[in-house]
């Protein structure tokens, strides 16, 4: 088999996630695992996970190998961080939160994951109250995000960034910002910082208070 074939696919990652969640309730049967899984568990995926040394299957139980446990822990961490992110920024309904978290968990790059975790203050539980496994950033107690994500006020005139997060509840202009179209995903450029902050985005120029600018976080893109 080639390296490619050995890679765990998204469906198999969902199965690992389900095994983890069932295990949190001390349940290990396939029926209990299926209840926790967003997709139908097929024999082929179980076999693949077994062959890759991720799980050990007996007649009535499916348990992790240490390698499988490590892998599942990483997925769970990304899933639950995504839940925190999605609920704190977008205030989505629970069903939406689950769907998006399940998409994000398969594609989040490690460096992005660390930035998000740091931005969110290394959350210990997800919105459902389940524990979020710690990452290196939590263990090292990083207080500030790495260079890629910065508060908007730290961009120099001419620099651009894509909004990743607007800290909610810290100012009353939150809804106003949204109505201007200032929201996660939007690319903004720092126009000038003196005498007041002025940013540019989508052919608009907007003067903002420093207090607001400080609570908008961006990915620096040059
Ligand atoms: Zn998932
Ligand atoms: Zn959760
Ligand atoms: Zn962390």
């Amino acid at each position: 088999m080639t390296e490619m074939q050995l890679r765990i696919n998204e469906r198999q990652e969902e199965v690992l996630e389900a095994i983890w969640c069932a295990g949190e309730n001390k349940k290990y049967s396939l029926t209990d695992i299926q209840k926790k899984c967003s997709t139908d568990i097929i024999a082929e995926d179980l076999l693949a996970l077994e062959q890759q040394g991720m799980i050990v299957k007996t007649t009535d139980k499916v348990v992790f190998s240490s390698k499988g446990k490590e892998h599942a822990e990483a997925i769970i961490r990304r899933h639950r961080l995504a839940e925190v992110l999605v609920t704190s920024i977008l205030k989505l309904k629970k069903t939406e939160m689950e769907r998006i978290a399940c998409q994000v968990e398969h594609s989040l790059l490690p460096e992005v994951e660390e930035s998000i975790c740091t931005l969110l203050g290394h959350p210990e539980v997800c919105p459902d109250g389940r524990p979020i496994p710690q990452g290196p950033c939590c263990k090292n107690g990083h207080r500030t995000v790495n260079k890629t994500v910065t508060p908007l006020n730290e961009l120099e005139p001419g620099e651009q960034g894509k909004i990743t997060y607007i800290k909610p509840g810290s100012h009353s202009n939150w809804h106003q910002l949204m109505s201007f179209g200032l929201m996660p995903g939007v690319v903004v450029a720092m126009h000038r910082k003196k005498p007041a902050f002025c940013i540019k985005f989508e052919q608009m120029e907007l003067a903002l208070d420093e207090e607001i600018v400080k609570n908008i976080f961006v990915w620096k893109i040059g």
Side-chain angles (χ1 to χ4, degrees), residues 79-80 83 97-98 126-130:
H79 181 101
R80 292 181 180 168
E83 286 182 337
M97 169 184 98
E98 262 308 306
C126 76
D128 314 296
R130 294 185 169 272

Side-chain angles (χ1 to χ4, degrees), residues 156-168:
E156 294 305 320
E159 287 182 331
Q160 287 191 56
K162 188 184 244 185
I163 299 177
T164 56
Y165 181 58
I166 299 176
K167 210 167 166 186

Side-chain angles (χ1 to χ4, degrees), residues 199-214:
I199 61 165
K200 269 184 168 174
F201 67 103
E202 289 164 2
Q203 278 110 40
M204 246 210 277
E205 238 180 76
L206 198 62
L208 292 171
D209 288 342
E210 182 168 10
E211 207 42 49
I212 293 171
V213 182
K214 273 202 282 198

